[in-house]
Amino acid sequence: MKTWSKWMALAVSLALAVSLAACSNGSGAQNSAPAGNEKYVVGICQLLPHAALNEATQGFKDALTEALGDAVEIKEGNAGGESANCATIIDGFIAEKVDLILANATPSLTAAASATDTIPILGTAVTNYGIALNLDTTEDKVLGGNISGTSDLAPLDQQAAMVQELFPDAKNVGLVYCSAEANSLYQVETIKGYLEDMGYACTQYAFTDVNDLSSVVQTACDNSDVLYIPTDNTAADNAETIANVVIPAGVPVVAGEEGICGGCGVATLSISYYEIGHMAGEMAVQILKGEKKVSEMAIGFDTTLEKKYNADLCQQLGLTMPEGYVPIGG
């Protein structure tokens, strides 16, 4: 009888231990590796489907599955370019009690930040977190709270130097961007200073959305020797529309990233969107496994920059790239 009592006590103790372990494995940033068939659940909210953002999402997913395998379940939502849809997707993730959210592009990040201050949020393809989140600083660093991530900002001084390298005789540079994207305005205003120091006259041309894009680009072409377009989601999603204006006008575009350059530009100094997505995935693994807190993580940058050019558009515009430029897709 005493032996039976001892076994019962042991069984109760084991059951209690399992119960406590299960309670400690609720959704949140500091979970340890899941037990049994339990999984980490990660939600991805991507603003719209285009090459750069797709690459960032793929890099993120690859990093998660490389490290966690079947222990991670990934839920994906694409807002189709509508910022309001980001909020709906994020609310769904919160209702499903995901363990972490990836916000791909600035509207996804702002929607996530507005919706939760407890679930860890990682951004990617976000140019400047201070501007995106209306912080007092535009210096990307450790933000604190429940948000960190990776940036798609390439060095703007080096992009300005690319304009000078390729078009030293140009006088007027048109800076084309979407007025609805605060990060685009930040890039345009920053590179404008560098270009003006180099002796260029710079004019900003802001379009509201796709409805006035062609007319604004045409005005920019009429008054510019070369155009610069920053990392801008609306421009990336409508690069063909821009190409239909700039090619007949014979005005080259230097782009802030490879996706835009591949659609309507001649050259870019671009980061790898796959790499910044993969970096965000590596950060997510550390958070999920309890190795680091999101509040302690600095914003990550891709430092492997590459000069690239659009061979087809360069040929159409009669341009020859100097040594050191790699063809997009080559």
Side-chain angles (χ1 to χ4, degrees):
M1 193 72 176
K2 289 183 179 179
T3 302
W4 175 254
S5 298
K6 289 180 180 179
W7 278 109
M8 285 295 295
L10 179 60
V12 170
S13 298
L14 287 172
L16 180 59
V18 170
S19 175
L20 290 172
C23 290
S24 68
N25 197 34
S27 66
Q30 307 307 320
N31 295 343
S32 57
N37 295 322
E38 292 179 306
K39 292 184 176 182
Y40 300 119
V41 182
V42 174
I44 300 175
C45 179
Q46 181 174 321
L47 175 62
L48 73 164
H50 75 67
L53 300 189
N54 294 345
E55 283 290 301
T57 290
Q58 190 59 54
F60 180 79
K61 290 163 60 177
D62 287 351
L64 283 182
T65 55
E66 287 163 9
L68 301 175
D70 293 337
V72 62
E73 178 184 356
I74 300 173
K75 298 178 179 290
E76 298 185 62
N78 196 299
E82 298 293 332
S83 297
N85 292 341
C86 293
T88 302
I89 293 168
I90 297 296
D91 287 344
F93 291 157
I94 294 172
E96 294 179 85
K97 298 182 179 180
V98 299
D99 296 296
L100 182 142
I101 294 171
L102 176 76
N104 190 341
T106 298
S108 301
L109 178 70
T110 55
S114 297
T116 178
D117 60 1
T118 56
I119 297 174
I121 299 167
L122 291 174
T124 193
V126 175
T127 304
N128 186 288
Y129 284 74
I131 291 172
L133 299 172
N134 291 317
L135 303 179
D136 293 333
T137 177
T138 59
E139 182 181 348
D140 282 323
K141 54 184 181 181
V142 177
L143 302 176
N146 66 319
I147 298 174
S148 189
T150 57
S151 171
D152 63 358
L153 181 64
L156 294 170
D157 57 341
Q158 294 183 41
Q159 290 191 346
M162 174 177 281
V163 174
Q164 186 179 47
E165 178 185 26
L166 297 177
F167 306 104
D169 298 326
K171 303 298 182 184
N172 300 298
V173 178
L175 308 173
V176 180
Y177 68 101
C178 180
S179 60
E181 299 192 30
N183 274 312
S184 297
L185 176 59
Y186 165 76
Q187 292 172 79
V188 161
E189 290 183 337
T190 302
I191 201 168
K192 180 181 179 182
Y194 293 125
L195 290 169
E196 288 179 340
D197 287 344
M198 295 172 179
Y200 293 103
C202 297
T203 305
Q204 296 175 210
Y205 297 92
F207 59 90
T208 305
D209 52 34
V210 66
N211 294 313
D212 65 340
L213 175 58
S214 292
S215 60
V216 169
V217 173
Q218 185 62 63
T219 300
C221 287
D222 292 341
N223 296 280
S224 308
D225 302 308
V226 59
L227 303 183
Y228 172 80
I229 301 177
T231 57
D232 183 291
N233 290 308
T234 308
D237 198 36
N238 296 280
E240 184 177 350
T241 299
I242 298 172
N244 290 338
V245 177
V246 298
I247 294 174
V251 178
V253 173
V254 173
E257 56 94 4
E258 183 177 335
I260 296 174
C261 187
C264 64
V266 296
T268 184
L269 178 70
S270 185
I271 55 93
S272 165
Y273 277 80
Y274 180 88
E275 179 61 24
I276 62 170
H278 199 277
M279 290 168 62
E282 292 170 349
M283 294 168 73
V285 170
Q286 292 178 308
I287 294 166
L288 293 169
K289 294 174 70 174
E291 296 171 355
K292 285 190 178 180
K293 295 180 179 179
V294 64
S295 60
E296 299 170 349
M297 289 180 155
I299 303 302
F301 293 84
D302 179 16
T303 58
T304 57
L305 304 172
E306 195 168 23
K307 291 181 176 181
K308 294 190 174 184
Y309 72 99
N310 185 325
D312 182 55
L313 262 65
C314 285
Q315 184 177 18
Q316 292 185 56
L317 295 174
L319 297 173
T320 300
M321 290 292 108
E323 290 186 11
Y325 284 73
V326 177
I328 292 174

